[in-house]
Amino acid sequence: MAETKSQPHDSIILDKNPKIISILVTSRCNLRCVMCDHGIREVEKQDFDSSLIGNMGDSISRASLVDLTGLGEPLLSKLFWEILANHPVTEKTSERDFVIYFNTNGTLLNENNIRKILNSRVRKIKISLDAADADVYYKIRGVKLADVVAGVRNLILKRNSLHRDYPRIGIQMTLMRENLHQLRPMIDLCEEVKADFFEVWSLNNVDESLAKIYIVDRNGWVFNYHEQMLDGIPKDELTQVIADFHAYARQKQIPFFSVVLGKRTASEDSLSDDCWDDTEVKWREESIRCIIPWKEQRIDYYGNVFACCWGPRPIGNIRDATLKSIWHGEAIHEMRRDLIDGKVPRLCVGAACPYLIGRSGAAAAPPREPSSATSRPILWKILDRFLRFVRRP
């Protein structure tokens, strides 16, 4: 643990290197989900500059988890497959060597892609499925549920045939009013395909002025982000629905993790990542107990480095500095100090973060300017700041 006179807090640095490196490999996507940026406009096609990998030094090799999820579908990324090919499974591969993690919409789980995934050191896969009912799923995602479920089932069967624990394969659901009644059926689906876990994340509670901009008309069904958020449901009613879901998951012995309106709940057998379990920040009573800035570095297509997926402003750029120097830099130190002191960090203002819901000082921030030279209308600049917080893919 490093400490100097300029660092009065003794929990500023706990690890010499980040445990989690997240690389936004691509913004390309083959779906237009209603709650996603891709659902409302033509997203600029961007791929992570593979030449920047060398600027990361040894941070990737020292990480416990390498997250290859971006704004798009990672299986469409050339770099994604290159990284997997560079991390093959061999007879000498140990459990700790499985470090790669990604989210996928599951539409590209064909035989060839499943083979390449299982031949690499993938630790965890989350497949985004928002309903067990084909009609509800089609409303949200715009594709056939049966095809995706078939791919998920095949991936799990092939993994099991190798008599391996990894990759852990689970289903992730974005919860909104439209699919709130699908929680129990989703647990039944997890049981049917033999998924390892089930995660639920509610739509982010964001400023009404931004949420009302986000409206999608899909074949006569109008998705209004503001109306689909769960915060308008009576608290007792929503609490009972979530409690019933947790009880049913336990009954079916499906490990679960949920974040609903900022409240996190995990089952006793939840498959949490070890890299999140060993942080011992010396919190105070007033602290904002977010451990992410002590664990993760997230790099976008332009080399900007963020403290987490919700961060609206970068803490550095790997074109100008190494990941290690950014990890030990003043910007992230300031963020950590503020969290310990119970202050909303300057670089977090405006983030649709569950740790900041209802806190003073967490008001909407000015739009984050894109780092490319591309000029876009002000509406898209506003949406860029908001939509990057929605769970992907």
Side-chain angles (χ1 to χ4, degrees):
M1 179 175 65
E3 181 177 358
T4 68
K5 291 182 179 179
S6 63
Q7 298 170 6
H9 300 71
D10 48 6
S11 291
I12 294 298
I13 303 174
L14 290 174
D15 297 306
K16 292 182 179 180
N17 298 282
K19 292 291 185 70
I20 303 171
I21 299 291
S22 298
I23 303 172
L24 279 64
V25 290
T26 187
S27 68
R28 302 171 189 272
C29 195
N30 58 337
L31 297 188
R32 299 294 180 265
C33 304
V34 294
M35 65 287 194
C36 177
D37 197 355
H38 292 275
I40 193 173
R41 67 182 177 102
E42 188 65 30
V43 175
E44 182 182 359
K45 293 178 174 61
Q46 301 171 94
D47 296 290
F48 190 88
D49 184 351
S50 58
S51 68
L52 295 178
I53 295 291
N55 295 17
M56 297 183 188
D58 60 356
S59 294
I60 289 183
S61 62
R62 292 179 178 273
S64 300
L65 202 66
V66 179
D67 180 358
L68 301 180
T69 303
L71 177 62
E73 169 54 47
L75 275 64
L76 292 173
S77 164
K78 180 181 177 182
L79 178 62
F80 172 85
W81 294 111
E82 289 176 355
I83 292 175
L84 262 61
N86 288 330
H87 291 78
V89 176
T90 68
E91 292 181 357
K92 296 181 179 180
T93 302
S94 66
E95 180 177 312
R96 63 187 294 182
D97 293 326
F98 287 87
V99 297
I100 297 170
Y101 155 81
F102 62 92
N103 282 25
T104 174
N105 59 39
T107 59
L108 301 177
L109 292 176
N110 55 46
E111 291 287 343
N112 185 49
N113 286 344
I114 288 174
R115 177 184 56 79
K116 290 189 288 186
I117 288 169
L118 295 180
N119 284 341
S120 65
R121 300 203 297 269
V122 177
R123 185 177 190 86
K124 197 172 191 178
I125 304 171
K126 294 181 187 178
I127 297 144
S128 296
L129 287 170
D130 306 307
D133 178 89
D135 292 337
V136 177
Y137 177 82
Y138 187 83
K139 277 185 179 181
I140 296 171
R141 299 257 164 191
V143 292
K144 293 181 179 179
L145 175 64
D147 295 341
V148 177
V149 170
V152 174
R153 185 184 293 110
N154 193 27
L155 173 63
I156 294 173
L157 285 172
K158 290 281 180 28
R159 188 276 313 269
N160 291 346
S161 71
L162 297 173
H163 306 288
R164 286 203 330 236
D165 291 330
Y166 297 106
R168 301 287 194 184
I169 302 165
I171 290 176
Q172 177 173 275
M173 178 184 189
T174 301
L175 194 63
M176 61 190 83
R177 285 176 180 255
E178 188 67 25
N179 63 2
L180 192 60
H181 65 290
Q182 286 288 299
L183 284 166
R184 275 181 169 250
M186 284 295 290
I187 292 168
D188 292 334
L189 178 61
C190 288
E191 181 182 44
E192 191 267 317
V193 300
K194 296 181 171 56
D196 295 316
F197 61 91
F198 179 44
E199 287 196 10
V200 174
W201 295 76
S202 64
L203 286 179
N204 291 299
N205 187 351
V206 298
D207 183 80
E208 182 178 345
S209 62
L210 287 177
K212 282 189 172 180
I213 296 173
Y214 200 82
I215 299 174
V216 179
D217 188 333
R218 172 158 291 168
N219 299 323
W221 175 62
V222 178
F223 172 86
N224 183 308
Y225 197 103
H226 179 66
E227 293 177 356
Q228 287 291 332
M229 293 191 308
L230 303 183
D231 60 334
I233 299 175
K235 184 177 180 180
D236 291 346
E237 179 183 336
L238 182 60
T239 299
Q240 186 59 53
V241 170
I242 301 304
D244 288 346
F245 140 54
H246 292 160
Y248 191 58
R250 288 189 173 96
Q251 177 187 330
K252 292 288 188 175
Q253 298 183 326
I254 302 294
F256 69 84
F257 175 81
S258 68
V259 181
V260 179
L261 298 183
K263 183 177 181 181
R264 295 169 176 255
T265 309
S267 60
E268 297 76 12
D269 53 358
S270 176
L271 298 175
S272 62
D273 296 305
D274 295 340
C275 51
W276 290 107
D277 297 339
D278 59 354
T279 300
E280 297 180 358
V281 178
K282 294 185 178 179
W283 300 114
R284 300 172 180 173
E285 184 178 350
E286 66 274 18
S287 296
I288 301 174
R289 303 192 177 200
C290 170
I291 64 170
I292 299 176
W294 282 266
K295 288 296 175 184
E296 181 180 10
Q297 284 184 313
R298 187 173 181 85
I299 307 100
D300 73 6
Y301 317 103
Y302 309 112
N304 290 313
V305 181
F306 297 84
C308 72
C309 66
W310 288 289
R313 301 171 188 80
I315 57 174
N317 190 295
I318 57 173
R319 295 182 186 275
D320 308 317
T322 64
L323 272 182
K324 188 170 185 178
S325 65
I326 295 171
W327 182 250
H328 293 271
E330 179 53 34
I332 193 67
H333 284 347
E334 176 188 318
M335 181 180 293
R336 293 168 183 153
R337 283 194 294 266
D338 285 345
L339 290 170
I340 292 172
D341 290 342
K343 303 174 184 176
V344 175
R346 173 178 54 86
L347 296 178
C348 297
V349 171
C353 166
Y355 291 101
L356 302 182
I357 290 176
R359 289 184 178 271
S360 60
R368 178 172 65 86
E369 293 293 332
S371 299
S372 70
T374 303
S375 175
R376 285 175 279 180
I378 186 65
L379 172 61
W380 297 139
K381 292 181 180 180
I382 294 172
L383 286 170
D384 277 340
R385 180 177 62 79
F386 159 49
L387 295 168
R388 72 187 302 274
F389 308 136
V390 180
R391 304 302 303 175
R392 307 284 192 234

